């Protein structure tokens, strides 16, 4: 197992002793060279979880293991060594690149921080990285404003690969791009994974993107993973009512749009005041009294499939 997350919790403090429960007891694992997808509505905690894993945030409780080593207590040089193996691609290609740095400077900066190569070798590496993501090496002296959104995201991917990481965390990497460009970036990510043996933690609210990219998937709701399993477990054998509602919004594969659509009532509750018991209870069409009082214990449905609900739907 390359990455293992156990009972991870992240609270952000508010005034008056209150706090936002952004991540609430999340657990999952990711094999070497595999892709684990996280899907859910905006505000469910996906991006916070990503930042916990790359150590941009410190957890409130729980543990993260990378290659069998707990990394939540790492500091100084040990943390720096860990970050060399885990890199991140951000959602907005317009905001994630420094407008005052050339592409070459952006790509060689990680190499400089880790004292890798001579100045000439770093410049050569920058051109190689651009070619790796489908851009001309001669673009190295240009600035971010001279590129389209898709090209900027390719540069962001190249920067993440500069240190030859083992895991890349992709936080909504195509949501800010046109649909035609999204397909190009997704195909590039698949090609790079096969070529370099990368593992991906892929975060998206788009189920069609998740289905295309991910072998294993976690469905997240208000800080908790309510169902996780293989691609077929989630898309063909889903059992949780929230997963079912999400999938009902995806057009049928034959283009007829003939899925049974499930309209959830109400809005996503506030993570600063989540409902007791099951977090999905106020919007669930099959909720009963026990759902309002007790949080459901995750049930193992198969070797790959787990769901947390008191009344699981039939597959």
């Amino acid at each position: 197992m390359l990455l293992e997350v156990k009972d991870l919790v992240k609270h952000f403090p508010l005034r008056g002793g209150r706090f936002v429960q952004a991540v609430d007891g999340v657990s999952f694992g990711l094999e070497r060279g595999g892709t684990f997808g996280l899907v859910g509505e905006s505000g469910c905690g996906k991006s916070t979880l990503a930042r916990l894993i790359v150590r941009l945030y410190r957890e409130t409780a729980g543990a993260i293991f990378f290659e069998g080593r707990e990394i939540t207590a790492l500091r100084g040089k040990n943390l720096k060594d860990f970050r060399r193996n885990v890199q991140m691609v951000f959602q907005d290609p317009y905001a994630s690149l420094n407008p005052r740095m050339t592409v070459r400077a952006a790509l060689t900066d990680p190499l400089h921080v880790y004292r890798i190569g001579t100045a000439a070798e770093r410049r050569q590496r920058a051109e190689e990285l651009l070619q790796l993501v489908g851009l001309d090496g001669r673009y190295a002296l240009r600035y971010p404003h001279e590129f389209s959104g898709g090209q900027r995201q390719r540069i962001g991917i190249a920067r993440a690969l500069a240190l030859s990481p083992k895991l890349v965390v992709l936080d909504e990497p195509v949501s800010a791009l046109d649909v035609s460009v999204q397909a190009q970036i997704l195909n590039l990510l698949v090609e790079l994974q096969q070529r370099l043996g990368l593992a991906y933690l892929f975060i998206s609210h788009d189920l069609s993107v998740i289905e295309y990219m991910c072998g294993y998937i976690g469905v997240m709701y208000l800080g908790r993973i309510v169902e996780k399993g293989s691609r077929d477990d989630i898309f063909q054998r889903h059992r949780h009512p929230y997963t079912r509602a999400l999938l009902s919004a995806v057009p049928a594969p034959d283009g007829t749009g003939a899925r049974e659509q499930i309209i959830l009532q109400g809005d996503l509750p506030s993570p600063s005041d989540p409902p007791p018991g099951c977090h999905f209870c106020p919007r669930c069409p099959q909720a009963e009294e026990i759902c309002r009082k007790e949080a459901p214990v995750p049930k193992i449905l198969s070797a790959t499939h787990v769901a947390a609900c008191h009344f699981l739907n039939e597959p």
Side-chain angles (χ1 to χ4, degrees):
M1 191 74 71
L2 180 67
L3 176 72
E4 191 171 5
V5 175
K6 291 186 176 181
D7 301 318
L8 199 61
V9 175
K10 177 60 179 178
H11 294 165
F12 292 101
L14 300 173
R15 292 179 180 177
R18 299 169 63 242
F19 53 84
V20 173
Q21 299 181 28
V23 176
D24 187 14
V26 167
S27 300
F28 67 90
L30 173 58
E31 298 285 354
R32 295 177 186 274
T35 302
F36 185 87
L38 276 173
V39 65
E41 295 173 85
S42 297
C44 72
K46 305 186 300 297
S47 294
T48 299
L49 180 57
R51 285 160 172 75
L52 287 167
I53 290 170
V54 300
R55 312 312 295 145
L56 293 178
Y57 294 157
R58 291 186 182 179
E59 71 292 331
T60 303
I64 303 170
F65 296 86
F66 185 78
E67 295 185 314
R69 180 187 186 189
E70 186 171 2
I71 55 97
T72 47
L74 295 182
R75 301 290 185 271
K77 182 180 182 300
N78 291 330
L79 178 59
K80 183 178 178 181
D81 291 342
F82 162 76
R83 283 179 169 155
R84 180 172 180 171
N85 287 310
V86 180
Q87 292 291 304
M88 189 165 180
V89 175
F90 296 90
Q91 176 178 0
D92 187 352
Y94 294 91
S96 60
L97 296 173
N98 188 332
R100 298 180 180 179
M101 295 177 69
T102 64
V103 170
R104 175 188 287 172
L107 297 182
T108 58
D109 190 52
L111 303 174
H112 177 75
V113 169
Y114 283 87
R115 300 180 181 179
I116 298 173
T118 64
E121 288 170 341
R122 292 169 191 161
R123 290 194 295 269
Q124 178 64 30
R125 175 63 171 161
E127 293 186 8
E128 292 173 353
L129 287 166
L130 287 174
Q131 293 169 2
L132 184 64
V133 297
L135 295 175
D136 195 313
R138 293 175 296 180
Y139 292 172
L141 295 179
R142 296 185 180 182
Y143 287 86
H145 73 269
E146 300 179 72
F147 296 91
S148 68
Q151 289 174 323
R152 293 188 200 193
Q153 197 61 298
R154 288 175 185 266
I155 295 168
I157 294 168
R159 180 179 58 183
L161 298 179
L163 298 173
S164 301
K166 298 175 182 178
L167 169 64
V168 178
V169 178
L170 299 141
D171 186 10
E172 300 270 12
V174 297
S175 64
L177 306 176
D178 293 338
V179 174
S180 60
V181 180
Q182 286 184 15
Q184 296 172 17
I185 297 299
L186 293 176
N187 289 333
L188 171 65
L189 290 170
V190 171
E191 178 186 337
L192 291 171
Q193 183 175 41
Q194 295 171 348
R195 183 172 177 178
L196 303 176
L198 299 167
Y200 290 152
L201 174 60
F202 197 101
I203 295 170
S204 179
H205 65 274
D206 189 329
L207 280 162
S208 60
V209 170
I210 288 289
E211 184 176 19
Y212 178 71
M213 289 294 301
C214 306
Y216 288 88
I217 299 161
V219 179
M220 202 164 177
Y221 185 85
L222 206 62
R224 298 174 178 174
I225 291 182
V226 297
E227 186 166 12
K228 59 185 175 182
S230 68
R231 182 190 294 114
D232 287 345
D233 288 334
I234 299 301
F235 284 90
Q236 306 299 331
R237 297 184 290 271
H238 49 274
R239 302 286 299 278
H240 197 280
Y242 179 62
T243 308
R244 184 182 176 198
L246 284 181
L247 288 170
S248 76
V250 179
D254 58 7
T256 63
R259 291 184 187 271
E260 177 191 357
Q261 191 168 10
I262 300 172
I263 305 298
L264 295 178
Q265 301 300 316
D267 298 321
L268 188 73
S270 171
S272 64
D273 187 25
C278 175
H279 284 178
F280 185 56
C281 173
R283 304 173 72 193
C284 182
Q286 61 189 56
E288 297 190 15
E289 188 61 28
I290 189 175
C291 306
R292 299 178 179 87
K293 296 179 179 179
E294 298 179 17
V297 176
K299 299 175 183 177
I300 299 175
L301 305 175
S302 73
T304 59
H305 195 185
V306 178
C309 180
H310 292 295
F311 304 100
L312 292 173
N313 290 308
E314 290 302 317

